[in-house]
Amino acid sequence: MHSSIVHAAVHVPAGRQSAAEAEDRFREGNPGVPMSRGVLQHMYGLLERTVAPAADQPSDLAARAARTVLEETGTDPLDVDLLLFAGILADMEEPATAHVVADKLGLRSPVFDVKNACNGVLNALEIADAFIRSGQYRRILVTTAEVSTRESRWVIDDPADVITALPSLSTGDLGSALLVEASERPGIIGSRFFANSAGWQAATLPNPYANHRTLGHLRIDSGQLVNSFGGLPEKVRGGLHDLGVKAGDLDLVCIHQPSVAFTRVACEWVGVDPDRILSTFPAHGNVATNTLPLQLATAVRTDRLRRGDLVGLFGFASGASAGFVICEW
């Protein structure tokens, strides 16, 4: 028994905020903090970011993407055996957002949430593959969504905090879904995951229960975050070697894109030419757990991905964790 990723789809909100508009709003909230024009494009490569309607919850974005997957594959919602939700942000603390997504889709399957910062979808694929290989389930719907623009830090208390607040202005909202099914041919060939958990303080968003019922601010120390991945790139390359796969063998490479600069660094870590990557960050922002599904869905829509192609999905997330899934489409 093998598992294969059958299809990928995203829901891209119609709302847009340009980098210049985000900078102007930040300046309005912090008149005493100097900030050069064009800093978001210069530092991160951001042109504009996607913004969901204020009334939309993560479950709404995830359900819309999932509905597209089900419709385009002709899958009856009642034929889904398990639904996973892998987003960082959730509709609520309890119950699992997966329940809300399943209810909106009319599913009657078991559900649960998977959370590991921006690597949530990769870990959900690892779980789906293991369940299908063991015979537990045959058809698993992996969903995720983020409304990260709502965590933008428009006002800071200390001018020194500007460097940790700016990354929050480069996030984007999106929903996505992947359908994974049992197959006779190998689809998901293998995966490897690694962690440096001592680096967890580099990027944090405290919840109300950990912060005296006050939602904490999204804080990202970009330099500290990059340093937290020390040793992980070597492990990723070693994992590829263990599977007998070379980066040059891959027909499509999808890599996590929290900024243009970080994408280039991650490509160097993996050993991939950055020109081979489908660049999604400049027009969407950092859509977190959605970045890999977005690249897959874009490749499908633009005929960059064909049956039999060898695909590498590479993730680097705060925590810090790194991992990859290699599959044949």
Side-chain angles (χ1 to χ4, degrees):
M1 183 72 71
H2 303 281
S3 73
S4 292
I5 303 174
V6 176
H7 196 38
V10 295
H11 172 74
V12 183
R16 294 288 185 276
Q17 183 181 53
S18 70
E21 290 169 338
E23 290 173 9
D24 287 343
R25 181 172 174 182
F26 184 84
R27 289 189 190 93
E28 289 175 4
N30 305 277
V33 178
M35 185 170 71
S36 303
R37 294 202 173 275
V39 66
L40 292 178
Q41 182 175 359
H42 176 72
M43 291 184 64
Y44 307 112
L46 182 71
L47 299 178
E48 64 177 4
R49 59 180 186 164
T50 52
V51 181
D56 277 359
Q57 295 292 326
S59 63
D60 293 309
L61 305 185
R64 289 172 193 144
R67 194 170 291 113
T68 299
V69 164
L70 296 177
E71 291 174 354
E72 292 183 350
T73 58
T75 303
D76 189 318
L78 298 180
D79 289 335
V80 174
D81 299 320
L82 175 69
L83 181 139
L84 304 176
F85 178 80
I88 298 170
L89 301 179
D91 282 29
M92 58 195 77
E93 289 289 327
E94 185 178 352
T97 298
H99 284 291
V100 189
V101 177
D103 181 52
K104 290 177 178 178
L105 294 172
L107 270 62
R108 297 294 179 265
S109 66
V111 305
F112 62 89
D113 286 0
V114 178
K115 181 171 287 191
N116 187 17
C118 293
N119 276 342
V121 165
L122 273 184
N123 290 126
L125 288 175
E126 178 187 29
I127 292 168
D129 178 52
F131 272 141
I132 290 175
R133 286 177 183 268
S134 70
Q136 184 80 7
Y137 303 108
R138 293 189 59 84
R139 184 173 288 110
I140 298 177
L141 188 58
V142 174
T143 65
T144 189
E146 308 293 355
V147 287
S148 308
T149 60
R150 297 172 195 174
E151 305 306 326
S152 298
R153 291 175 62 184
W154 299 117
V155 178
I156 57 176
D157 298 325
D158 185 343
D161 290 338
V162 67
I163 197 65
T164 63
L166 282 181
S168 73
L169 308 186
S170 68
T171 59
D173 303 336
L174 205 79
S176 54
L178 304 170
L179 185 61
V180 187
E181 293 184 352
S183 63
E184 294 183 357
R185 69 176 181 88
I188 294 180
I189 296 170
S191 60
R192 295 289 187 275
F193 293 90
F194 315 96
N196 279 341
S197 296
W200 70 268
Q201 296 183 69
T204 58
L205 176 62
N207 66 30
Y209 307 103
N211 200 34
H212 306 292
R213 297 192 174 275
T214 300
L215 182 63
H217 297 300
L218 177 60
R219 177 191 178 278
I220 300 176
D221 185 322
S222 299
Q224 186 180 1
L225 182 59
V226 172
N227 290 337
S228 72
F229 292 109
L232 296 184
E234 292 82 0
K235 291 182 178 180
V236 167
R237 293 193 296 271
L240 282 176
H241 183 268
D242 291 343
L243 291 180
V245 176
K246 298 179 181 178
D249 298 335
L250 300 170
D251 298 298
L252 177 69
V253 178
C254 301
I255 204 156
H256 182 50
Q257 300 183 28
S259 72
V260 170
F262 186 92
T263 302
R264 293 196 189 103
V265 170
C267 285
E268 292 177 6
W269 288 347
V270 174
V272 175
D273 186 339
D275 291 337
R276 295 184 57 196
I277 306 299
L278 287 169
S279 178
T280 58
F281 176 86
H284 298 82
N286 177 7
V287 289
T289 55
N290 294 285
T291 57
L292 297 178
L294 175 58
Q295 291 167 75
L296 272 180
T298 302
V300 170
R301 180 174 51 81
T302 58
D303 293 325
R304 283 282 301 272
L305 188 57
R306 296 177 175 82
R307 185 175 177 83
D309 281 354
L310 192 62
V311 180
L313 307 173
F314 296 87
F316 296 91
S318 60
S321 71
F324 64 83
V325 171
I326 303 297
C327 61
E328 185 176 301
W329 193 253

